[in-house]
Amino acid sequence: KNCLSRTRLRGRQGMRVWSSLILGTLACAYSASAFSSAPSGGIPSSLRSGKLGVASSTRSGLRPSLSLKMEERKYSLADQVARFERAKKEKNERFLNIDSVYDGSYLKGKRVMITGGNKGLGLAITAELKSQGAEVVVVGRQTSPELDALGVTVVEGVDVTDEDAIKGKLIDALGGKGVDILINNAGYFWEEHETLDNLSMKEDMKQISICALGPLHVSAALANAGLINDGGRIAIISSQAGRAAGGVPHKP
């Protein structure tokens, strides 16, 4: 949980912190290490049973640099403002300066697929992956000038709620070559101030389809096609919209 402690940063600096935290945490958590024992084209029994391995956070990605007091904490503060103030008071460099703990060198030479990488956090992650020497494949409904400028492989016309596109165009785009990391980043949040007065079943189901079911179907499609390399990792990025108060995301 400490790996994902967040400040209320915004803009380019905020995206840099977010992308580094996510990629650093990927190095910590072997969420898909079970694939290392999978036969070609098959899903390992450990993945089917849900028994996945978890690695130590001491390997490349996030370097350990917590004081004993911080290490003994079991939970993070839910109040982001209070959490940030506490970090400043304690001079917690791990919290305040992402470069003090983040090492993305493990990404060099890795083949990474990311969904929804044309803007926002997805674009920031894509840029970081590229800068660290990864081979990046971005999949989504459309590209953007900023994404095109990065010089990565872009596959347009794939909606994570479209099963035919996932099993067809997305799989075909890999050309039979697997990925080392799959990052399910595509998401959706209704911009309206949602209350009981304007509750929308259509919008709610759209968000569930994209944010919850989309990652499962994309991950399953690659796994069933044998396109997760040995030791591969799968990341699913969720949103604080799930704990929004008064319809305002990120509000403590």
Side-chain angles (χ1 to χ4, degrees):
K1 292 181 178 64
N2 279 325
C3 280
L4 296 178
S5 293
R6 306 163 196 157
T7 66
R8 297 175 68 82
L9 295 172
R10 295 291 185 269
R12 184 172 297 179
Q13 183 186 11
M15 289 300 178
R16 167 81 171 91
V17 171
W18 271 93
S19 61
S20 298
L21 279 170
I22 290 166
L23 295 175
T25 304
L26 252 178
C28 299
Y30 266 34
S31 58
S33 61
F35 281 116
S36 60
S37 61
S40 178
I43 301 176
S45 58
S46 53
L47 182 61
R48 291 184 184 280
S49 65
K51 297 177 181 178
L52 299 177
V54 178
S56 166
S57 61
T58 59
R59 63 184 68 241
S60 294
L62 287 176
R63 296 185 288 270
S65 61
L66 288 179
S67 68
L68 180 61
K69 180 181 178 181
M70 295 174 193
E71 286 180 335
E72 289 174 345
R73 286 191 185 130
K74 195 170 183 181
Y75 304 106
S76 177
L77 286 174
D79 187 326
Q80 292 185 46
V81 176
R83 191 164 70 232
F84 185 46
E85 290 303 316
R86 183 177 70 181
K88 289 192 293 184
K89 182 178 179 180
E90 295 176 343
K91 297 182 180 179
N92 182 349
E93 194 70 5
R94 185 173 193 244
F95 189 107
L96 301 172
N97 178 14
I98 189 63
D99 290 320
S100 70
V101 290
Y102 171 65
D103 176 9
S105 60
Y106 79 98
L107 293 163
K108 186 174 182 180
K110 300 291 186 185
R111 193 174 198 220
V112 184
M113 171 176 278
I114 178 170
T115 62
N118 64 324
K119 60 182 179 180
L121 180 59
L123 181 64
I125 294 174
T126 301
E128 180 64 19
L129 288 167
K130 175 72 174 179
S131 72
Q132 294 292 347
E135 178 189 347
V136 190
V137 180
V138 179
V139 178
R141 292 179 300 164
Q142 59 189 16
T143 186
S144 67
E146 294 80 8
L147 177 58
D148 291 337
L150 294 177
V152 300
T153 300
V154 179
V155 182
E156 297 184 72
V158 177
D159 189 311
V160 297
T161 64
D162 186 337
E163 191 171 13
D164 291 336
I166 292 172
K167 293 181 177 180
K169 196 168 187 177
L170 184 150
I171 296 299
D172 292 343
L174 292 176
K177 183 181 177 182
V179 299
D180 300 299
I181 300 173
L182 167 62
I183 302 177
N184 290 286
N185 169 76
Y188 174 76
F189 182 70
W190 193 28
E191 296 297 332
E192 294 291 330
H193 185 115
E194 189 173 20
T195 68
L196 292 177
D197 294 327
N198 67 344
L199 199 62
S200 170
M201 179 67 75
K202 179 181 178 181
E203 290 294 333
D204 291 341
M205 293 309 299
K206 181 178 180 179
Q207 185 170 18
I208 291 172
S209 295
I210 295 173
C211 300
L213 299 179
L216 296 179
H217 284 271
V218 171
S219 301
L222 264 68
N224 286 320
L227 291 173
I228 302 291
N229 293 337
D230 288 350
R233 306 169 197 179
I234 297 175
I236 299 176
I237 301 174
S238 63
S239 170
Q240 280 199 310
R243 61 179 286 272
V248 182
H250 312 297
K251 180 179 178 181

